[in-house]
Amino acid sequence: MNDYDHSISTTYTKIEPTKSWSITYGKGSAAGYLSKDSVTIGGLTAQNQIFAEATSWSDLLISCYEPMSGILGFAMKAASEDGSSTLIESLHDQKQITSKLFSVALKGDNGKSKLIIGEPDETYYKNEIVWGDVIQPTSTGMWFTQLTGILTTEENSLSEDDGFNW
């Protein structure tokens, strides 16, 4: 994993007093402290963004073979232990994007996935988007919704009679 090095950033600000954090993903874990810096993703920059700077992580943090430089969460503000704004909220508040939306195109362009920040890109979907309610957004801060079925091509892939385990 590539390291973020705040000592070479001209926009880094140390948060006082230091606020430590730790998280576990599956079998891996990471820890560090909160930092504030400009965060740029896809040409969009959120200034004074509070984020969890990792100072240590286990080898099992993410079990993938793709190069990476960190983890970027897209939960809602309610999931933040310190109440800081999410990257999407900061980009919206700083007029970098016009809506607090994001979407993911999985394995779309030449077998690569793509993160789309802001309004959905019509080149990545057909027909109309069906919007669903988010369940418990203010208590969990996570993106939960309820599915009543999944349709693939012309076949119903999920029925009430079929069990499904994650």
Side-chain angles (χ1 to χ4, degrees):
M1 187 182 308
N2 297 325
D3 294 325
Y4 162 77
D5 184 354
H6 65 251
S7 69
I8 60 174
S9 172
T10 59
T11 56
Y12 168 78
T13 304
K14 185 175 183 177
I15 295 178
E16 296 286 351
T18 300
K19 296 180 183 177
S20 297
W21 64 271
S22 64
I23 194 164
T24 300
Y25 282 106
K27 295 179 181 179
S29 62
Y33 50 87
L34 296 183
S35 292
K36 186 188 294 186
D37 205 341
S38 294
V39 175
T40 301
I41 183 169
L44 304 169
T45 301
Q47 297 179 10
N48 298 311
Q49 179 67 43
I50 296 174
F51 62 97
E53 182 174 345
T55 55
S56 64
W57 51 86
S58 70
D59 288 339
L60 298 174
L61 177 60
I62 299 291
S63 58
C64 67
Y65 299 100
E66 298 294 326
M68 59 181 267
S69 59
I71 299 171
L72 177 61
F74 281 96
M76 292 176 249
K77 191 174 192 171
S80 171
E81 289 183 21
D82 69 319
S84 60
S85 294
T86 66
L87 178 63
I88 296 294
E89 289 171 322
S90 295
L91 289 170
H92 180 262
D93 293 346
Q94 294 173 22
K95 310 288 188 241
Q96 295 288 307
I97 56 176
T98 58
S99 64
K100 297 180 191 179
L101 297 175
F102 68 91
S103 54
V104 179
L106 299 175
K107 301 285 183 178
D109 293 336
N110 300 321
K112 295 183 179 182
S113 298
K114 184 177 279 192
L115 171 67
I116 301 158
I117 298 176
E119 293 293 324
D121 185 336
E122 293 180 4
T123 61
Y124 292 100
Y125 66 91
K126 296 178 183 177
N127 303 321
E128 296 295 317
I129 293 177
V130 177
W131 300 95
D133 293 331
V134 176
I135 301 170
Q136 303 174 333
T138 55
S139 61
T140 66
M142 300 295 172
W143 297 99
F144 297 119
T145 192
Q146 183 174 2
L147 298 178
T148 56
I150 299 172
L151 297 175
T152 58
T153 316
E154 299 173 13
E155 185 178 318
N156 187 347
S157 300
L158 182 65
S159 71
E160 292 179 22
D161 299 329
D162 295 331
F164 184 80
N165 296 317
W166 288 98

